[in-house]
Amino acid sequence: MTLIRTNGRLGISCDACPTRYRHTAEEGAFRALLAEIVDEGWKPIRKAGDWTHLCPDCARFSDRRLL
Ligand SMILES: [Zn+2]
C-alpha cells in the first residue's frame, strides 16, 4: 500500500497505477479509511507480509488475470 501523509492526514494510493483515493483520514483513523476504500471496491492484497492496495479498476483487471 502506498500511504501519503499530508498535513497530518493520511491518503491511500493504488499500488498499480497513480489513482489516489479521493478522501483522506486523520492519522489514527487509518483502519476506518481502509474499511471505507474496501466498501468502494478497492482491494487489499496481502503478499509476503506486505499489504498492497488496488483501486477498483486495477482490482477488476487483476481478478480477470487470476481467473
Ligand atoms: Zn489502480
Side-chain angles (χ1 to χ4, degrees), residues 14-19 54-55 57-58:
C14 177
D15 288 285
C17 78
T19 300
L54 297 179
C55 70
D57 287 342
C58 293

Side-chain angles (χ1 to χ4, degrees), residues 2-66:
T2 308
L3 269 182
I4 305 147
R5 273 198 176 73
T6 320
N7 299 325
R9 296 184 68 82
L10 293 174
I12 291 181
S13 72
C14 177
D15 288 285
C17 78
T19 300
R20 275 200 190 193
Y21 184 56
R22 66 183 185 282
H23 295 146
T24 55
E26 303 284 342
E27 303 233 23
F30 179 61
R31 297 196 70 85
L33 181 64
L34 270 188
E36 205 178 303
I37 67 168
V38 169
D39 269 359
E40 299 209 8
W42 285 63
K43 190 176 184 183
I45 297 165
R46 199 187 162 110
K47 227 188 273 175
D50 278 333
W51 286 95
T52 294
H53 288 88
L54 297 179
C55 70
D57 287 342
C58 293
R60 264 196 298 277
F61 178 75
S62 93
D63 279 348
R64 219 180 296 139
R65 201 178 43 191
L66 290 176

